[in-house]
Amino acid sequence: MTLALRYAVRSDVGLLREGNEDSAYAGPHLLAVADGMGGYEAGEVASAAVISTVAPLDRRVMPESELTDALSAAVATAKQTLRRIVESDPAVGSMGTTLTAMLWAGGAAAICHIGDSRAYLLRDGDLYQITRDHTFVQALIDQGRIRPEEAATHPQRSLLLRALDGRTDADPDLSMLEARVGDRYLICSDGLPVAVSDDLILQALADIAEPNDAVLKLIDLAIAGGAPDNVTCIVADVVDTDNPDAVPTRAPIVAGAAAAAAEVHDTRTRPFARPEIDDPGVTQFGMVPGAAAASGGSTSERHRATVPGRRHSRHAAGAPPVDEADEENGNGRPARAPRRRWPVMTLILVLFVLVVGGGIFALYQYARSQYYVGTSNGKVVIFRGLNDSVLGHSLSSVFDSSGIPVSGVPKSDQQSFGQTYSLDQARKYIANIRKDYQSCQAAYAAVRRWEAGKPKPVRKTLKIGGKLVTRKVTPHYRPEPAIPAGCPPMPSPGGAISH
């Protein structure tokens, strides 16, 4: 039995975005989705550049043992590519992209994931999310700070903790999985789960047999759900090549910004290198004639995914470009130099800074309204902020110190350290800790007084069994005071545990 993939791809600009910053590639051995960020002429550059870097992995079959190393090396190259683009053009310095990719060999696949794009597995009627979002809200869910159903409405739901951006050196998650005949995989940008519930995704994947029909349904569901972001989906079925009814897909397909960039031949960024394809039925960049619906095209204006602001005419190789207005007049004059977009770019950068600044300010204000009890320098203190960090920076600081040493606090009172409270709740928590601490200290003092007043044994002559016997006897004294349950062991005057 030989396993192969039967796949389809679709990318849609959505209802609110002006351009498509998603890029996707699907081939016999590689499935990949990248969701760019950074705004006009930035996000699409990043996503297309990363897809261009990983696409050559589809050209050869490699042993299973090399899959993760191959993906890791491709991501390292993509980081260098993004770094060069950022260094050469400050206007795109805020760009970045997610990447979720699956590289196949035989019956196994390696998964490479960074950001909040997702990979799902439909197996035996159940849907599994096989990647973990690298987002602030996912970190809060993992820590039990919020419930999963609260993530969709959290004010910082779009804050990424990891991405490929050419500035930081964040690494992706790498893992392996075993494939089975009948498995169906979905790789998508976050535009799908933002607009469509997991139940509807499961229903579409389970009910629709053909991958091409499934991606169309998923895009339609996203549009019906408001589609506030670009939406890109790859649906791939694992089939047995010995089954004549399950014909695998052979032609690679590029969709979204990578396909648009390839179409207009952007010489400044050159985001996509042409894969070497010998199949005469496949056009450049793997676009099969008549396959627009599967690769990101659409019969409606709403669904068309293009790079905004770029209008090009096709000419013979080596001929100078012709301005479209002149071309219509038939004068054939060389094209005028395109107008500089700096005012537009400046406006967009200002808006981007305002949005990011607003998000940071909202996070700052939210953090300042939160408090939790923890420890600092061996003392119990109240922290102001969130018990978390972003990119290595703590989101909290010491607000007030109780002066209570942690060593004297019962373990039962330490179990709620780190939980978020209002300031009044945090102070009530400190008051309870202080009460228990003082109770333990009072018990320790009573034991020490009891030990200090305990009479020393005296020698007495007793008549036992008709004989006189001299023994040490301790005079009668009151019972030893009890230490409350839960108190730490009583320290000795020198600091050592004595009780």
Side-chain angles (χ1 to χ4, degrees):
M1 179 174 63
T2 304
L3 301 185
L5 297 177
R6 180 176 175 83
Y7 52 82
V9 188
R10 186 175 178 84
S11 187
D12 193 284
V13 72
L15 297 180
L16 301 182
R17 301 289 188 179
E18 292 185 2
N20 196 345
E21 295 183 299
D22 288 358
S23 292
Y25 179 94
H29 308 295
L30 177 70
L31 309 173
V33 167
D35 181 357
M37 55 192 177
Y40 181 69
E41 284 200 293
E44 72 269 24
V45 173
S47 67
V50 169
I51 289 297
S52 172
T53 304
V54 301
L57 296 175
D58 192 41
R59 297 178 186 172
R60 66 184 182 91
V61 179
M62 61 186 71
E64 295 179 13
S65 59
E66 297 180 10
L67 295 178
T68 54
D69 289 342
L71 280 170
S72 179
V75 169
T77 302
K79 291 179 186 177
Q80 296 174 1
T81 300
L82 294 177
R83 187 170 291 112
R84 287 194 297 268
I85 294 174
V86 170
E87 291 173 352
S88 64
D89 189 352
V92 297
S94 62
M95 74 177 184
T97 184
T98 70
L99 175 65
T100 300
M102 299 179 70
L103 184 61
W104 295 79
I111 301 178
C112 172
H113 170 70
I114 185 168
D116 61 354
S117 296
R118 290 183 177 181
Y120 292 90
L121 165 63
L122 178 68
R123 174 177 288 176
D124 298 329
D126 294 321
L127 185 66
Y128 305 92
Q129 182 181 333
I130 56 178
T131 55
R132 177 185 172 277
D133 296 344
H134 296 142
T135 59
F136 179 63
V137 294
Q138 183 61 53
L140 295 181
I141 293 172
D142 293 343
Q143 296 168 7
R145 304 272 293 280
I146 64 173
R147 298 186 301 274
E149 54 270 24
E150 297 179 86
T153 57
H154 195 279
Q156 299 303 320
R157 59 187 176 275
S158 299
L159 180 60
L160 285 180
L161 300 183
R162 269 196 274 173
L164 300 176
D165 57 15
R167 300 180 302 278
T168 61
D169 197 31
D171 292 321
D173 295 337
L174 294 169
S175 59
M176 293 288 296
L177 59 83
E178 181 181 355
R180 302 178 188 173
V181 173
D183 284 350
R184 168 166 282 187
Y185 291 90
L186 166 65
I187 302 180
C188 62
S189 60
D190 70 319
L192 180 66
V194 162
V196 184
S197 68
D198 284 352
D199 289 340
L200 288 177
I201 293 174
L202 169 61
Q203 182 178 352
L205 293 175
D207 293 349
I208 301 175
E210 283 298 317
N212 187 59
D213 295 335
V215 293
L216 290 172
K217 179 63 175 179
L218 291 172
I219 295 295
D220 287 342
L221 287 172
I223 296 297
D229 200 354
N230 308 144
V231 188
T232 299
C233 302
I234 300 176
V235 172
D237 292 342
V238 180
V239 299
D240 181 2
T241 57
D242 296 334
N243 182 357
D245 296 329
V247 180
T249 311
R250 299 297 185 188
I253 303 173
V254 181
E263 184 69 18
V264 300
H265 303 289
D266 186 341
T267 58
R268 178 173 63 89
T269 59
R270 295 181 182 178
F272 198 83
R274 302 185 184 186
E276 297 172 0
I277 302 171
D278 298 327
D279 187 345
V282 181
T283 63
Q284 65 174 357
F285 305 104
M287 302 299 291
V288 180
S295 59
S298 174
T299 56
S300 69
E301 190 69 18
R302 182 195 65 191
H303 289 177
R304 190 164 54 209
T306 60
V307 178
R310 296 182 179 273
R311 301 180 64 193
H312 292 252
S313 299
R314 296 184 179 276
H315 306 282
V322 177
D323 182 81
E324 288 181 322
D326 293 337
E327 187 176 42
E328 291 175 1
N329 295 331
N331 58 24
R333 291 199 304 267
R336 292 188 296 270
R339 296 175 182 172
R340 295 177 64 85
R341 298 194 190 92
W342 288 115
V344 176
M345 287 298 300
T346 301
L347 175 61
I348 291 172
L349 288 175
V350 169
L351 291 175
F352 176 77
V353 170
L354 289 176
V355 171
V356 173
I360 294 174
F361 179 75
L363 176 60
Y364 173 74
Q365 290 295 100
Y366 175 74
R368 285 180 61 83
S369 68
Q370 304 298 307
Y371 298 84
Y372 67 93
V373 176
T375 64
S376 178
N377 297 323
K379 304 293 185 181
V380 179
V381 301
I382 296 177
F383 286 92
R384 185 176 191 173
L386 301 176
N387 185 20
D388 211 327
S389 62
V390 175
L391 300 178
H393 297 284
S394 176
L395 298 179
S396 63
S397 59
V398 175
F399 177 77
D400 188 22
S401 177
S402 68
I404 303 172
V406 180
S407 59
V409 177
K411 292 295 183 182
S412 58
D413 287 338
Q414 299 183 33
Q415 293 177 356
S416 296
F417 281 4
Q419 293 187 12
T420 303
Y421 299 100
S422 67
L423 181 57
D424 288 342
Q425 291 172 329
R427 284 175 170 163
K428 289 179 181 178
Y429 182 20
I430 289 289
N432 289 334
I433 293 176
R434 190 182 302 279
K435 179 180 178 181
D436 292 343
Y437 169 75
Q438 291 174 344
S439 177
C440 292
Q441 296 301 311
Y444 299 155
V447 170
R448 292 191 182 100
R449 289 194 299 270
W450 179 85
E451 290 178 341
K454 186 177 180 180
K456 297 181 180 180
V458 296
R459 298 183 68 85
K460 284 189 175 183
T461 301
L462 304 174
K463 187 174 183 180
I464 301 176
K467 297 181 179 180
L468 295 176
V469 180
T470 302
R471 290 186 176 178
K472 285 185 177 181
V473 178
T474 301
H476 178 71
Y477 192 56
R478 65 181 183 274
E480 179 180 359
I483 295 178
C487 287
M490 186 178 75
S492 66
I497 300 299
S498 63
H499 188 77

